[in-house]
Amino acid sequence: MMSALCVIVASSAGADTVADWAEATTEIATEGPNTVRTMALAQNAVYEAVNAITGRYAHDRVDLGAAKGASVDVAIAAASHAILAHEAPLQAQKIEAVYAQAMAAIPNDAARALGVSIGEQAAKDVLGKHTDDIPPIEPYRPLTTPGVFVPPTFPLGYAVAQHHPWFMKSAAQFRAPPPPALTSALWARDYNEIKAVGSATSTVRTAEQTDIARFWATALPDVHLRLVRVVDELPGRDLTRNARLYAAVAAALNDGEIAILDTKYHYQFWRPITAIRNGDRDDNPNTERDADWTPLIATPIQPEYPCGNCAVAATVVTVMQADMGREPLPLLRTTSNTAPGVTREWTSAAALLKEIANGRVYDGVHFRSSTEVGNHMGEQVGKLVAAAYGLH
């Protein structure tokens, strides 16, 4: 698949610069710290810049100075470039290369100069609003009894759980209730389902289910962002509306990531590989131990509950549905870095969310209850942020 960076360079005037730069920003941000936050900063700077020029959403318009006659495409590029340069300095060579190539195709005139000014001012404004997002971080403290060894690999995402959200009142606003009690029938159901279908050597998982599992083994946000482009490319949409959609989606992902990681580290619930290899210690007679059970994919290095992949998808489709209003979502499709060359499609958001939930169970890394809770949390965050952007 063509790199998103190449897409920008190949784009001509009139192409969907918002979507192209959104994908390029995501590609670069995944190689640096605070990936989702960087995406949110960039997409909101892009929206501010575009809306300052078009003035379509007067209630959201930020005064960035005289914008009449500014090149919208240049403003998008300049806003994206400024955010990336600030947030991902270790990727400076790549950032400068793609920016220079994109700008080389645009005449060096007054419209270009004004577009650069508007884009850079928008980035400065957004960065200024979010200088306090990351408070002093309390380092992860391994759970152990003094003197007892624990693996010296620390989990991921602990710091993000401490970030200040943009729209939620706190990271814990949508914190999920506790995971199923280990003595419950629900726990036995979840345990035995994933033990059978999520094992690396499962004899009950079908070839199609394995394909789904491989597709949703990804941990990168680009698989979800590509869903947005399906709406972005619908006939009759304009650049400002698309910029707002991407800004809302990225901001919702930022708050959603904080909410999910807050819940994960609040409960620190064990992953299937730990639970199944300790099935004789959960005081449940219906969970038989398998001493060498291994999941289909490598287990993520963070607590299990709830399913983050499920929550992210639910957040994205909730914001997209709000943007569409009463119109149904179009045929959804996306690709995944863990299933090269494969494009999957869904006729509804419900079908998409069901497949992702199933995929994470087939992967052997998430229990069924966790996927259901993740979907609900994502929907809650998505509705809150969509309303903040006036999507309904």
Side-chain angles (χ1 to χ4, degrees):
M1 183 180 63
M2 181 183 287
S3 164
L5 303 179
C6 296
V7 170
I8 288 180
V9 174
S11 291
S12 59
D16 193 343
T17 320
V18 167
D20 292 342
W21 270 102
E23 291 188 18
T25 297
T26 302
E27 185 175 319
I28 293 172
T30 56
E31 299 176 14
N34 303 316
T35 297
V36 174
R37 179 175 178 271
T38 300
M39 293 164 56
L41 291 169
Q43 295 318 125
N44 277 269
V46 165
Y47 175 43
E48 278 198 9
V50 173
N51 197 44
I53 296 170
T54 67
R56 171 164 182 182
Y57 301 110
H59 60 286
D60 273 350
R61 194 177 187 279
V62 175
D63 185 5
L64 302 177
K68 185 177 180 180
S71 167
V72 174
D73 285 349
V74 170
I76 292 167
S80 302
H81 167 262
I83 295 293
L84 289 171
H86 186 274
E87 294 296 308
L90 295 180
Q91 304 302 316
Q93 185 174 359
K94 182 179 290 186
I95 295 166
E96 295 306 322
V98 69
Y99 182 60
Q101 288 179 294
M103 296 293 282
I106 300 172
N108 190 6
D109 55 15
R112 169 172 158 158
L114 189 53
V116 169
S117 176
I118 294 297
E120 291 181 347
Q121 288 183 73
K124 182 179 179 180
D125 181 67
V126 169
L127 288 169
K129 292 174 180 175
H130 296 284
T131 55
D132 298 325
D133 283 1
I134 305 178
I137 299 298
E138 177 68 27
Y140 179 77
R141 183 171 181 167
L143 297 175
T144 185
T145 300
V148 176
F149 169 79
V150 295
T153 300
F154 289 174
L156 303 175
Y158 186 73
V160 176
Q162 301 174 56
H163 288 188
H164 295 148
W166 289 14
F167 295 99
M168 295 186 301
K169 296 176 182 177
S170 72
Q173 180 174 346
F174 297 119
R175 182 181 289 169
L182 299 184
T183 55
S184 67
L186 181 59
W187 168 245
R189 181 206 73 172
D190 286 356
Y191 179 105
N192 288 309
E193 178 190 24
I194 201 167
K195 181 183 177 184
V197 78
S199 167
T201 57
S202 174
T203 58
V204 299
R205 187 180 57 245
T206 67
E208 181 183 8
Q209 289 171 337
T210 300
D211 288 343
I212 291 171
R214 296 293 187 194
F215 190 92
W216 291 108
T218 180
L220 299 180
D222 56 353
V223 67
H224 302 104
L225 191 74
R226 291 191 191 102
L227 295 166
V228 182
R229 189 149 195 159
V230 175
V231 172
D232 171 285
E233 293 176 343
L234 289 173
R237 294 183 64 92
D238 64 78
L239 211 58
T240 314
R241 185 179 179 187
N242 288 339
R244 182 180 66 167
L245 173 60
Y246 275 101
V249 165
L253 289 180
N254 181 68
D255 274 25
E257 182 180 49
I258 294 170
I260 287 295
L261 290 167
D262 166 81
T263 296
K264 281 181 178 290
Y265 284 102
H266 179 75
Y267 295 114
Q268 305 210 47
F269 197 61
W270 55 4
R271 288 281 182 171
I273 190 172
T274 308
I276 295 171
R277 292 188 180 204
N278 288 280
D280 57 341
R281 296 182 177 181
D282 61 6
D283 294 325
N284 193 319
N286 297 313
T287 57
E288 184 178 347
R289 180 192 186 209
D290 183 339
D292 63 355
W293 188 90
T294 302
L296 177 64
I297 69 169
T299 297
I301 310 175
Q302 57 184 208
E304 187 276 334
Y305 179 87
C307 171
N309 213 324
C310 306
V312 168
T315 300
V316 171
V317 298
T318 297
V319 175
M320 290 196 302
Q321 286 174 323
D323 176 88
M324 294 290 291
R326 295 184 180 181
E327 295 295 319
L329 288 174
L331 181 71
L332 299 171
R333 63 182 179 277
T334 191
T335 57
S336 169
N337 67 297
T338 53
V342 176
T343 299
R344 295 191 67 83
E345 297 181 339
W346 305 270
T347 57
S348 68
L352 166 68
L353 297 181
K354 181 179 179 180
E355 179 176 296
I356 296 173
N358 285 338
R360 298 308 274 171
V361 175
Y362 302 154
D363 281 330
V365 298
H366 277 298
F367 299 107
R368 178 66 61 184
S369 294
S370 181
T371 69
E372 295 164 352
V373 170
N375 282 343
H376 181 61
M377 287 186 69
E379 181 181 2
Q380 288 178 297
V381 174
K383 286 181 176 179
L384 176 72
V385 176
Y389 282 83
L391 304 179
H392 52 76

